[in-house]
Amino acid sequence: MRPNPYAPALRHLLSAAAIFIALAIAGSAYAQNYPARPVRLIVAFAPGGTADFTARMLADKMQSTLGQAVAVENKPGANGAIAAEYVAKSDPDGYTLFFTTVGAVAINPALRSDLPYDPLKDFASVGKVAVNSTILVVNAEIKANSARELAELARRKPGAITIGITGHGAISDLGRQLFEDAAGIKLQEVPYRGAAPAITDIISGHLDGLFGDVPTVMAQVRAGKLKALAATSTERSDIFPDVPTFVEQGYAGVVGDNWDAVLAPAGTPQPVIAKFNAAMVAALNDPELRTRLRNSGTTPAPSSPEEFDKYLRAEIARWGKVIRDKGIKGG
């Protein structure tokens, strides 16, 4: 009998299939017992901030579903890069997960050439958590009630309108640059170490405006100390439904939200990711948690791992193009 020339390839294919099936079975068995101990949720920012608050509210609600504690640990620094690297190098067992915002995984890759991780190769998507719409706010006394009116002021006095930024490549900076490009104006950037001192200076009249996320500016806008002119989201914020988007005002390119999501180290078994995601989605759909988050200015936005993976890839591509086209460097 003549030997089958396809036999080696067939054996290789069958062997590969057997390995795949074995791994799938092992992953499913592992997931049945997951979690067998507390899960660590690594937050890329300091305690007390918006991301930390959201992570802690989510972790607390998830514990009853998972049957184990979800412990929040803060590892701030480098716009999320410190926490990202830590999680990327952790065991892919589902017990160390990354609670991130847009900066660490969608902006940093284009902003820093020395990044010690790749957001697509070193992580697996678990799911989106929430959105914090970004809003352009100004001093309440400024004679402008819309983005278009502020642009007119800027045209009459080029460089006279001052806008705070919390770092080159931060959402506050990118929002400003997108607005400048779309409106054909020049604003004067003023660097700050955080949004809080910038808001203080806006209220006191030492600074004209800031692109800040809703949780950061909400209280002062509602108190009438800040004036909200436009939102960078594709749709109006459910927190401030009366504030029109930049898109509505004719600036189609001024789009960009801050968002929260959870990632796992690459190689984490898919059944484990699915189990954590299911608990996360259930928590984010809980009426009590949704109310608490919305009262803080955060909009719950749960997703599947697949949905968030697609969204993340689009965000990386979009922000990468903006940063490269404008030659923005981290700082």
Side-chain angles (χ1 to χ4, degrees):
M1 180 181 293
R2 295 176 61 186
N4 186 345
Y6 300 106
L10 182 60
R11 284 195 298 271
H12 179 75
L13 183 62
L14 290 174
S15 177
I19 293 172
F20 177 81
I21 293 170
L23 289 174
I25 293 173
S28 296
Y30 183 80
Q32 288 178 0
N33 296 320
Y34 172 86
R37 62 179 190 272
V39 177
R40 301 162 66 215
L41 195 58
I42 309 300
V43 177
F45 298 94
T50 301
D52 177 71
F53 176 83
T54 302
R56 291 181 186 278
M57 292 300 99
L58 175 63
D60 183 63
K61 181 62 68 174
M62 288 181 68
Q63 290 181 162
S64 59
T65 303
L66 289 176
Q68 287 285 348
V70 180
V72 172
E73 295 184 20
N74 302 88
K75 292 188 180 295
N79 198 26
I82 291 175
E85 182 181 11
Y86 178 83
V87 176
K89 295 180 178 178
S90 298
D91 291 336
D93 55 10
Y95 289 97
T96 303
L97 302 174
F98 183 29
F99 189 95
T100 183
T101 62
V102 60
V105 292
I107 294 175
N108 271 358
L111 205 60
R112 291 182 50 186
S113 60
D114 62 340
L115 211 60
Y117 60 90
D118 183 310
L120 296 178
K121 294 180 180 178
D122 295 331
F123 294 101
S125 293
V126 177
K128 195 174 180 182
V129 173
V131 171
N132 297 315
S133 295
T134 302
I135 290 181
L136 171 60
V137 295
V138 296
N139 179 279
E141 302 302 318
I142 281 186
K143 304 301 182 183
N145 295 308
S146 68
R148 298 198 73 85
E149 291 181 5
L150 186 69
E152 287 301 320
L153 288 179
R155 286 192 191 93
R156 291 199 296 269
K157 299 179 180 179
I161 303 296
T162 56
I163 299 291
I165 66 169
T166 57
H168 290 108
I171 286 291
S172 59
D173 178 39
L174 294 173
R176 172 189 65 84
Q177 298 205 44
L178 290 173
F179 181 36
E180 286 182 334
D181 285 354
I185 58 175
K186 179 61 180 175
L187 304 171
Q188 180 62 49
E189 68 175 64
V190 181
Y192 284 84
R193 296 184 69 107
I199 289 171
T200 298
D201 278 359
I202 295 173
I203 294 171
S204 65
H206 298 301
L207 181 70
D208 292 322
L210 173 77
F211 281 79
D213 61 22
V214 168
T216 304
V217 304
M218 181 174 67
Q220 304 296 354
V221 170
R222 287 180 172 171
K225 295 181 179 181
L226 296 177
K227 188 188 299 185
L229 301 186
T232 64
S233 45
T234 54
E235 298 178 356
R236 294 193 184 196
S237 164
D238 62 341
I239 312 295
F240 285 119
D242 295 333
V243 178
T245 67
F246 279 94
V247 174
E248 289 179 82
Q249 298 183 55
Y251 303 120
V254 189
V255 176
D257 281 324
N258 198 356
W259 44 259
D260 303 320
V262 174
L263 298 171
T268 301
Q270 201 59 39
V272 169
I273 290 176
K275 191 168 186 178
F276 192 90
N277 173 268
M280 192 167 74
V281 170
L284 291 168
N285 284 329
D286 179 82
E288 179 190 9
L289 180 61
R290 292 183 71 86
T291 298
R292 294 185 70 183
L293 289 176
R294 290 189 76 258
N295 287 343
S296 75
T298 295
T299 301
S303 78
S304 69
E306 295 76 19
E307 289 168 339
F308 178 64
D309 184 73
K310 182 178 179 180
Y311 179 77
L312 175 60
R313 290 173 185 275
E315 284 284 272
I316 290 172
R318 188 169 69 86
W319 286 122
K321 185 177 187 307
V322 170
I323 290 167
R324 288 190 299 272
D325 286 353
K326 297 189 69 61
I328 302 171
K329 304 297 181 183

